[in-house]
Amino acid sequence: MSLPSSLTLGSLRVDTPVVLAPMAGITNAAYRRLCAEQGAGLYVCEMITSRGLVEGDQHTRDMLVFDELETTRSVQLYGTDPVYVGKAAEILCAEYGVAHIDLNFGCPVPKVTRKGGGGALPWKRGLLGRILEHAVAAAAPYDVPVTMKTRKGIDEDHLTYLDAGRIAQEAGAAAIALHGRTVAQAYSGEADWGAIGELAASVDIPVLGNGDIWEAADAVRMVEQTGAAGVVVGRGCLGRPWLFRDLAAAFGGEEVKTLPTLGEVAAMMRRHAELLCQHMGEERGCKEFRKHVSWYLKGFAAGGEMRRSLGLVDSLAALDALLADLDVDEPFPASELGAPRGRQGSPRSKVVLPEGWLDETDGLGCVLTEDADAGSGG
């Protein structure tokens, strides 16, 4: 089969069928800019809550920062109340000029599933449909496509992804992204690409595959195996923004695998820190940068003292002095290719859900209190 070279979401055309998954504390404006400098794609803002946005929560508004070169603004929205989600979608379109809204029904974080949100919500098929309908109706006058992200289900005994695909299509969603794990799996084990293929065969809207894309070759294999219209990449790009360069090349029919030297990685680290400081100021930007150090240096020989110092960096000048001591010619550690990155953890024996959540599957009578402060992505 020939690979897709672009992705169409309603009226929005994405030049490469690759989406950066929203990750809390990671996919801020600086990181999205850094990834976009590497290759074309759709770069999604950190997840925000619909209640926080509607009620004017300052922290939520502060997260809605876009880089001046960010021409296609994409936001992931979390919510459990159809009215709140609809109002929030309208605010995003009218006040923030977004070009794409993704609804999060995949977050596995216990504080989210406990309230019936994230990956728990698709069990309530009626409620899922109502939320999607409200969001699609609110965004339609602005010609903004609405998509949804979900998981296979709560656990292997409570799968929801095929119903979710049908409901998304009926509600007018422009696409559905499936992370091939259950909520119970969280980020452990292997993603089930077979489920992605099954979903792609069952709906007419584009299906995006998510899970275990560590290299560009993985993305190509996923699309070939599943018939997905594109891929969603999360943990695979942590400390490796150049993965988007490889992905753009692969979907363009080129064989490119970026294996940067430690000197080139150091230059990327410097650029990342610089962008964070531009957006947040030097003190906060450097603090935000610290969490990325271990991902950038994964597999390299840089010693513990160097890593500790980089993890305490408080200015660009201090960062420059430390980076200058790295061995610029050290080759990229081949052992890290194809290896999982970021959190993995263990599967959960029990998913935390509201009392009686599994008793019925409609959910339209549910009164769920939305958190103004929710989880990560999914």
Side-chain angles (χ1 to χ4, degrees), residues 205-226:
I205 58 175
V207 171
L208 304 175
N210 179 217
D212 295 354
I213 295 175
W214 311 114
E215 308 294 338
D218 297 328
V220 169
R221 206 171 71 252
M222 177 192 274
V223 169
E224 288 176 343
Q225 284 181 18
T226 65

Side-chain angles (χ1 to χ4, degrees), residues 240-324:
R240 294 195 315 165
W242 58 85
L243 178 58
F244 290 97
R245 186 192 312 161
D246 291 358
L247 287 162
F251 282 108
E254 298 170 37
E255 270 294 322
V256 175
K257 184 182 283 184
T258 305
L259 293 174
T261 62
L262 183 52
E264 290 168 319
V265 171
M268 188 70 74
M269 293 169 75
R270 177 60 166 79
R271 177 67 178 146
H272 191 169
E274 179 188 324
L275 286 166
L276 282 166
C277 292
Q278 279 177 20
H279 277 283
M280 302 176 172
E282 190 163 9
E283 185 182 0
R284 186 169 158 227
C286 285
K287 276 186 180 165
E288 280 291 321
F289 174 73
R290 295 171 185 173
K291 72 179 80 161
H292 297 271
V293 169
S294 60
W295 292 320
Y296 277 114
L297 296 181
K298 197 167 186 280
F300 283 105
E305 188 55 46
M306 167 63 78
R307 290 168 190 255
R308 272 192 297 278
S309 298
L310 283 166
L312 295 169
V313 74
D314 57 4
S315 70
L316 288 176
L319 177 63
D320 287 339
L322 289 165
L323 293 179

Side-chain angles (χ1 to χ4, degrees), residues 13-25:
R13 185 180 182 277
V14 183
D15 286 340
T16 300
V18 175
V19 179
L20 168 65
M23 292 178 278

Side-chain angles (χ1 to χ4, degrees), residues 86-107:
K87 285 180 178 173
E90 179 159 16
I91 291 169
L92 288 173
C93 295
E95 296 180 28
Y96 290 91
V98 302
H100 166 243
I101 296 171
D102 184 51
L103 298 180
N104 181 293
F105 300 112
C107 183

Side-chain angles (χ1 to χ4, degrees), residues 5-335:
S5 59
S6 63
L7 174 65
T8 301
L9 303 173
S11 59
L12 177 63
R13 185 180 182 277
V14 183
D15 286 340
T16 300
V18 175
V19 179
L20 168 65
M23 292 178 278
I26 306 290
T27 57
N28 48 39
Y31 192 68
R32 298 195 305 272
R33 165 76 177 266
L34 187 70
C35 292
E37 287 177 351
Q38 298 301 305
L42 188 62
Y43 300 94
V44 188
C45 177
E46 295 171 86
M47 185 178 87
I48 62 158
T49 67
S50 50
R51 180 177 152 209
L53 184 57
V54 172
E55 295 182 353
D57 173 65
Q58 193 54 49
H59 174 65
T60 304
R61 298 261 174 174
D62 288 346
M63 288 168 71
L64 283 168
V65 172
F66 299 93
D67 188 87
E68 72 245 16
L69 295 186
E70 203 161 0
T71 50
T72 304
R73 296 181 171 188
S74 172
V75 174
Q76 191 182 67
L77 191 59
Y78 162 83
T80 55
D81 181 305
V83 174
Y84 266 125
V85 172
K87 285 180 178 173
E90 179 159 16
I91 291 169
L92 288 173
C93 295
E95 296 180 28
Y96 290 91
V98 302
H100 166 243
I101 296 171
D102 184 51
L103 298 180
N104 181 293
F105 300 112
C107 183
V109 176
K111 72 172 182 176
V112 170
T113 60
R114 180 181 285 115
K115 301 277 184 77
L121 197 139
W123 182 255
K124 302 296 191 187
R125 276 70 162 179
L127 180 59
L128 176 67
R130 189 67 57 84
I131 291 173
L132 283 161
E133 286 162 9
H134 273 68
V136 169
Y142 302 90
D143 201 20
V144 170
V146 173
T147 60
M148 72 171 277
K149 166 95 176 280
T150 191
R151 286 177 171 246
K152 285 172 59 182
I154 291 171
D155 53 35
E156 291 295 337
D157 295 324
H158 301 89
L159 299 176
T160 52
Y161 63 101
L162 293 177
D163 279 350
R166 171 183 55 79
I167 291 164
Q169 182 168 304
E170 289 171 357
I176 178 170
L178 178 61
H179 184 153
R181 288 179 170 87
T182 62
V183 174
Q185 278 181 278
Y187 297 94
S188 68
E190 290 188 2
D192 177 6
W193 290 4
I196 296 167
E198 213 183 333
L199 180 59
S202 74
V203 294
D204 298 325
I205 58 175
V207 171
L208 304 175
N210 179 217
D212 295 354
I213 295 175
W214 311 114
E215 308 294 338
D218 297 328
V220 169
R221 206 171 71 252
M222 177 192 274
V223 169
E224 288 176 343
Q225 284 181 18
T226 65
V231 297
V232 178
V233 178
R235 293 172 297 154
C237 69
L238 293 174
R240 294 195 315 165
W242 58 85
L243 178 58
F244 290 97
R245 186 192 312 161
D246 291 358
L247 287 162
F251 282 108
E254 298 170 37
E255 270 294 322
V256 175
K257 184 182 283 184
T258 305
L259 293 174
T261 62
L262 183 52
E264 290 168 319
V265 171
M268 188 70 74
M269 293 169 75
R270 177 60 166 79
R271 177 67 178 146
H272 191 169
E274 179 188 324
L275 286 166
L276 282 166
C277 292
Q278 279 177 20
H279 277 283
M280 302 176 172
E282 190 163 9
E283 185 182 0
R284 186 169 158 227
C286 285
K287 276 186 180 165
E288 280 291 321
F289 174 73
R290 295 171 185 173
K291 72 179 80 161
H292 297 271
V293 169
S294 60
W295 292 320
Y296 277 114
L297 296 181
K298 197 167 186 280
F300 283 105
E305 188 55 46
M306 167 63 78
R307 290 168 190 255
R308 272 192 297 278
S309 298
L310 283 166
L312 295 169
V313 74
D314 57 4
S315 70
L316 288 176
L319 177 63
D320 287 339
L322 289 165
L323 293 179
D325 285 339
L326 292 173
D327 176 2
V328 296
D329 297 320
E330 185 183 338
F332 191 84
S335 60

